[in-house]
């Protein structure tokens, strides 16, 4: 899989719920949001290829876009309790960790429990844990505030410019340090790779997330490399790095033989419209399954509804919940489902 690192030229706001609550925002970009944005960029550059079939099966798969600091890639904390056996005094501190560096994540992939009380693991701001060796190779990382959030006060007005219901609200903005940003993993064949790069560069120029017309969410691609991970022996399942909604071809019984998962609800607004998407419950990043998941692309605005309401959209507002995952040893502390 290829690793694309993005450096943001401006602040970012990704509303995680589409609830109309402006101060709610994620600190990373979920895979369905990234995939949909890439598909629309692709369609803008290559309109002859962008029929409805394209949106139902984009020629790429992407993970969610996670943070990085310098050379250190951060991975989401697995949803299973890797801190279960540690000293209770350290448990509260361990629960606050949301991001693991690549070396620590490779230990997770190998099925090794992490000892958060040892000198080998260092905790940084924003719920980040890195290994001592990584910190020695990148000593400046300890002094970097990788990202921070702030709020900007705004006024909501109607079409006549009159404030509505008091009108004041706060809008969350995420700023990245110069050495940090977001990266994602991509799986694509060689043939469409150049068009994928072009679509990503176009997305960087047009922006992702909210308030793109005001300059938010613009980025540049700072590197493209192959993902290199320490080889893991005796893998027995996978850990997901994208959102996942099972397809008919997925064998749920096999997937859930040994499992640990998180569930979230995805909703929001359809791009270039004022139409809301129906909520969809999906498995979150960092879930463990005992077989390889496939996933599916969900059509949230079928043709019959578009035709009935005479909507001018050229696509069915598809959301990509196909799985991107890495092989993983069985996590410690999990119990098998009774037969």
């Amino acid at each position: 899989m290829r690793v694309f690192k993005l450096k943001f030229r401006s602040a970012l706001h990704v509303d995680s719920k589409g609830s109309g609550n402006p101060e709610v925002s994620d600190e990373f970009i979920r895979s369905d949001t990234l995939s949909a944005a890439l598909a629309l960029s692709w369609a803008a550059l290559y309109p002859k290829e962008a029929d409805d079939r394209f949106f139902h099966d984009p020629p790429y798969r992407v993970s969610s876009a996670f943070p990085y600091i310098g050379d250190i890639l951060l991975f989401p904390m697995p949803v299973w309790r890797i801190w279960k056996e540690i000293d209770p005094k350290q448990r509260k501190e361990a629960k606050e960790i949301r991001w693991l560096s690549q070396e620590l994540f490779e230990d997770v992939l190998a099925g090794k429990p992490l000892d958060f009380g040892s000198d080998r693991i260092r905790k940084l701001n924003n719920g980040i844990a890195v290994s001592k060796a990584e910190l020695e190779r990148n000593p400046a990382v300890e002094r970097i505030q990788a990202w921070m959030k702030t709020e900007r006060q705004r006024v909501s007005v109607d079409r006549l410019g009159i404030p509505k219901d008091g009108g004041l609200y706060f809008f969350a903005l995420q700023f990245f340090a110069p050495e940090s940003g977001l990266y994602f993993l991509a799986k694509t064949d060689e043939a469409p790779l150049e068009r994928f790069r072009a679509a990503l560069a176009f997305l960087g120029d047009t922006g992702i997330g909210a308030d793109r017309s005001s300059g938010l969410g613009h980025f540049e691609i700072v590197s493209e490399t192959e993902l290199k991970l320490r080889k893991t022996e005796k893998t027995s399942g996978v850990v997901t790095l994208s959102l996942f909604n099972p397809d008919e071809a997925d064998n749920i019984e096999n997937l859930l033989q040994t499992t640990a998962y998180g569930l979230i609800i995805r909703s929001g607004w359809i791009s270039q419209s004022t139409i809301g998407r129906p909520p969809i419950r999906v498995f979150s990043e960092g879930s463990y399954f005992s077989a390889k998941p496939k996933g599916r692309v969900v059509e949230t605005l079928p043709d019959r509804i578009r035709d009935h309401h005479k909507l001018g959209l050229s696509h069915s507002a598809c959301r990509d919940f196909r799985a991107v995952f890495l092989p993983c040893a069985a996590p410690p502390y999990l119990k098998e489902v009774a037969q």
Side-chain angles (χ1 to χ4, degrees), residues 218-248:
H218 293 234
F219 61 81
E220 59 182 307
I221 308 163
V222 292
S223 71
E224 175 190 340
T225 57
E226 288 289 333
L227 177 65
K228 295 180 180 177
L229 292 172
R230 187 196 318 155
K231 189 175 181 180
T232 302
E233 304 290 342
K234 299 180 181 178
T235 59
S236 57
V238 303
V239 59
T240 58
L241 296 178
S242 68
L243 300 177
F244 163 56
N245 187 272
D247 182 70
E248 289 181 356

Side-chain angles (χ1 to χ4, degrees), residues 1-2 31 35 60-64 66 184-188 227 238-245 284-287 289 293-295 320-327:
M1 282 188 284
R2 296 177 184 275
S31 57
S35 179
Y60 55 80
R61 290 190 183 211
V62 294
S63 72
S64 296
F66 305 121
F184 67 93
L185 308 180
K187 297 176 67 176
T188 181
L227 177 65
V238 303
V239 59
T240 58
L241 296 178
S242 68
L243 300 177
F244 163 56
N245 187 272
S284 66
E285 304 90 345
S287 297
F289 297 104
K294 180 182 178 185
D320 188 355
F321 298 114
R322 296 173 300 171
V324 172
F325 52 83
L326 293 173

Side-chain angles (χ1 to χ4, degrees), residues 28 33 48 70 81 85 108-109 122 134 142 149 164-165 176 178 214 230 254 262-263 290 293 315 318 337:
F28 66 104
T33 298
K48 292 183 180 179
R81 294 174 177 269
E85 299 298 320
V108 171
L109 296 180
R122 303 290 181 84
E134 290 172 312
E142 197 166 24
K149 284 189 174 182
K164 299 187 296 184
D165 301 329
F176 292 92
S214 299
R230 187 196 318 155
N254 288 342
L263 292 171
S290 48
H315 55 84
C318 295
V337 176

Side-chain angles (χ1 to χ4, degrees), residues 51-315:
D51 53 15
D52 215 34
R53 186 174 51 186
F54 169 83
F55 288 99
H56 282 81
D57 187 21
Y60 55 80
R61 290 190 183 211
V62 294
S63 72
S64 296
F66 305 121
Y68 69 85
I69 312 175
D71 295 331
I72 301 177
L73 303 180
L74 301 178
F75 290 82
M77 179 67 120
V79 299
W80 59 90
R81 294 174 177 269
I82 61 177
W83 55 78
K84 186 176 180 181
E85 299 298 320
I86 69 173
D87 186 340
K89 295 179 180 177
Q90 301 167 1
R91 188 169 299 170
K92 182 178 179 181
E93 191 174 358
K95 284 184 176 180
E96 295 175 353
I97 296 174
R98 303 191 303 276
W99 301 104
L100 298 177
S101 66
Q102 181 170 334
E103 281 195 10
L104 299 182
F105 194 72
E106 287 170 344
D107 287 346
V108 171
L109 296 180
K112 299 177 181 177
L114 300 180
D115 183 0
F116 289 97
S118 71
D119 292 337
R120 180 173 175 267
I121 298 178
R122 303 290 181 84
K123 292 178 274 293
L124 307 179
N125 293 326
N126 297 335
I128 298 169
V130 301
S131 73
K132 181 180 178 182
E134 290 172 312
L135 206 54
E136 288 174 348
R137 291 195 297 270
N138 305 273
V141 167
E142 197 166 24
R143 301 189 295 272
I144 295 174
Q145 176 82 26
W147 67 88
M148 64 177 297
K149 284 189 174 182
T150 184
E151 291 181 339
R152 184 174 295 171
Q153 192 175 44
R154 291 186 170 182
V155 179
S156 176
V157 297
D158 61 18
R159 294 179 183 276
L160 299 177
I162 301 173
K164 299 187 296 184
D165 301 329
L168 294 177
Y169 67 92
F170 291 90
F171 188 80
L173 296 172
Q174 183 180 10
F175 292 90
F176 292 92
E179 304 85 354
S180 64
L182 300 177
Y183 78 94
F184 67 93
L185 308 180
K187 297 176 67 176
T188 181
D189 296 332
E190 283 295 327
L193 184 56
E194 284 304 318
R195 294 199 290 282
F196 179 84
R197 290 171 177 144
L200 182 60
F202 183 75
L203 179 61
D205 290 337
T206 54
I208 187 170
D211 275 22
R212 298 185 294 275
S213 60
S214 299
L216 269 61
H218 293 234
F219 61 81
E220 59 182 307
I221 308 163
V222 292
S223 71
E224 175 190 340
T225 57
E226 288 289 333
L227 177 65
K228 295 180 180 177
L229 292 172
R230 187 196 318 155
K231 189 175 181 180
T232 302
E233 304 290 342
K234 299 180 181 178
T235 59
S236 57
V238 303
V239 59
T240 58
L241 296 178
S242 68
L243 300 177
F244 163 56
N245 187 272
D247 182 70
E248 289 181 356
D250 282 306
N251 188 320
I252 298 298
E253 186 175 349
N254 288 342
L255 286 173
L256 302 182
Q257 279 297 311
T258 306
T259 185
Y261 58 81
L263 292 171
I264 62 170
I265 295 176
R266 299 296 288 165
S267 59
W269 302 97
I270 295 174
S271 180
Q272 300 174 347
S273 77
T274 56
I275 305 168
R277 284 185 278 109
I280 302 172
R281 190 183 295 270
V282 298
F283 292 104
S284 66
E285 304 90 345
S287 297
Y288 175 83
F289 297 104
S290 48
K292 294 180 179 178
K294 180 182 178 185
R296 62 173 178 153
V297 175
V298 178
E299 189 181 61
T300 64
L301 198 62
D303 291 345
R304 56 183 175 77
I305 296 180
R306 277 191 293 160
D307 295 340
H308 177 75
H309 293 284
K310 299 179 179 178
L311 301 176
L313 293 172
S314 60
H315 55 84

